[in-house]
């Protein structure tokens, strides 16, 4: 379905990735498929880790669009997922906001590194993002989210983002943030973004964190590292722009080893 024929209804697109051990010490990708604007592409592996790049085949998400990405990592497999460029939410001809759903499943003994580029909420856009990660005990996850309100010099769009992480069905993290025009009052105030336009987080889940929790600490004036009630650590950060946000989260990743 192209943008012309989908103008009144919005585009529906799904990408699926499945990672399995290949029996030779590496990771195979028996499922790697996408449609519409979602195009997952295999890239050069790094040791036992398979690598996939999400490539945008067209602009979006636009108003009325609904994108879904699913990744399933089996026991003893290792998967790294990135994206070729930032995702830009834009206003569209279809009525209503856009949705972007991410569904991640990681088995015991498996590892997933989910490291896409920034999500930019352009002026006039309305986007709801939901990310749900279902982990088994013994799974390893590194998940980065970076969100930028507006392109350079423009007002932001409306962005609502929810992240839910469960281990064996038990909640490890469940949080939601809403920013931009129409969001609850105070989102841009001192208790919210404090005038910043880039916000992000780095979630790291490792079995060893359950035995030796990481100490909480500040990582500069607008970033903090917080141990969760379980085998996880959450880094949250604010910054004036995407570049400084990435530097902060990269430094947090180095701190966590």
């Amino acid at each position: 379905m192209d943008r012309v024929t989908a103008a009144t209804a919005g585009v529906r697109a799904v990408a699926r990735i499945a990672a399995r051990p290949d029996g030779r010490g590496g990771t195979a990708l028996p499922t790697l498929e996408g449609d519409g604007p979602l195009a997952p592409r295999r890239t050069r592996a790094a040791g036992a880790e398979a690598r996939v790049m999400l490539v945008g085949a067209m602009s979006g998400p636009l108003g009325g669009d609904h994108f879904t990405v699913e990744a399933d990592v089996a026991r003893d497999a290792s998967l790294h997922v990135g994206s070729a460029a930032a995702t830009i939410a834009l206003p569209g001809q279809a009525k209503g906001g856009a949705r972007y759903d991410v569904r991640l499943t990681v088995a015991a003994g498996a590892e997933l590194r989910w490291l896409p580029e920034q999500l930019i909420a352009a002026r006039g856009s309305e986007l709801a993002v939901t990310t749900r990660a279902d982990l088994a005990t013994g799974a390893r996850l590194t998940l980065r989210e970076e969100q930028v309100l507006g392109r350079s010099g423009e007002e932001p769009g409306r962005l609502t983002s929810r992240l839910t992480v469960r281990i064996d069905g038990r909640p490890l993290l469940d949080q939601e943030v809403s920013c931009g025009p129409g969001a609850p009052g105070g989102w841009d105030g001192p208790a919210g973004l404090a005038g910043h336009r880039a916000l992000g987080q780095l979630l790291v889940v490792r079995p060893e964190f359950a035995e030796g929790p990481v100490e909480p600490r500040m990582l500069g004036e607008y970033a903090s590292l917080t141990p969760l009630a379980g085998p996880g650590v959450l880094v949250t950060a604010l910054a004036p722009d995407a570049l400084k946000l990435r530097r902060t989260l990269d430094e947090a990743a180095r701190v966590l080893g």
Side-chain angles (χ1 to χ4, degrees):
M1 182 184 296
D2 59 31
R3 282 289 182 201
V4 175
T5 58
T8 59
V11 171
R12 303 293 183 267
V14 180
R16 295 183 177 90
I17 307 165
R20 303 287 184 266
D22 64 5
R24 303 185 302 273
T27 299
L29 299 172
T31 302
L32 187 64
E33 58 188 30
D35 53 32
L38 297 175
R41 298 287 185 262
R42 184 194 310 260
T43 60
R44 184 182 297 274
E49 180 184 71
R51 294 193 169 192
V52 173
M53 191 72 69
L54 286 172
V55 179
M58 61 177 71
S59 60
L62 277 62
D65 289 354
H66 185 182
F67 296 173
T68 303
V69 180
E70 301 173 355
D72 179 56
V73 188
R75 186 181 185 92
D76 298 328
S78 180
L79 176 64
H80 176 131
V81 179
S83 58
T87 297
I88 304 178
L90 298 164
Q93 297 181 31
K95 294 182 179 180
R99 289 178 56 188
Y100 201 127
D101 297 330
V102 176
R103 301 289 178 258
L104 310 174
T105 305
V106 189
E111 180 170 9
L112 172 61
R113 295 201 291 161
W114 187 264
L115 302 170
E117 295 301 309
Q118 298 90 358
L119 170 64
I120 301 172
R123 181 176 59 185
S125 66
E126 183 177 346
L127 178 64
V129 180
T130 62
T131 301
R132 187 182 71 211
D134 291 300
L135 314 179
T137 297
R140 302 170 72 87
L141 172 69
T142 300
L143 183 150
R144 183 182 68 210
E145 289 187 334
E146 297 171 312
Q147 296 153 348
V148 181
L149 301 179
R151 291 168 292 191
S152 179
E154 76 172 4
E155 293 298 312
R158 171 72 183 274
L159 176 64
T160 301
S161 178
R162 183 172 183 178
L163 173 61
T164 305
V165 182
R166 294 184 174 89
I167 299 179
D168 290 337
R170 300 186 302 274
L172 175 71
L173 176 67
D174 192 346
Q175 66 176 24
E176 181 174 296
V177 61
S178 185
C179 309
W187 68 269
D188 199 24
L193 301 188
H196 293 88
R197 284 295 179 265
L199 61 155
Q201 52 194 356
L202 179 72
L203 172 69
V204 180
V205 179
R206 297 177 183 165
E208 55 265 34
F209 287 162
E211 303 298 327
V214 177
E215 292 295 323
R217 71 188 77 174
M218 295 298 296
L219 301 173
E221 187 175 1
Y222 293 103
S224 64
L225 185 154
T226 305
L228 302 177
V233 173
L234 180 67
V235 176
T236 55
L238 299 175
D241 54 50
L243 179 59
K244 292 183 179 180
L245 177 65
R246 174 65 61 85
R247 287 174 176 169
T248 299
L249 295 182
D250 283 350
E251 177 59 28
R254 284 190 287 270
V255 168
L256 293 170

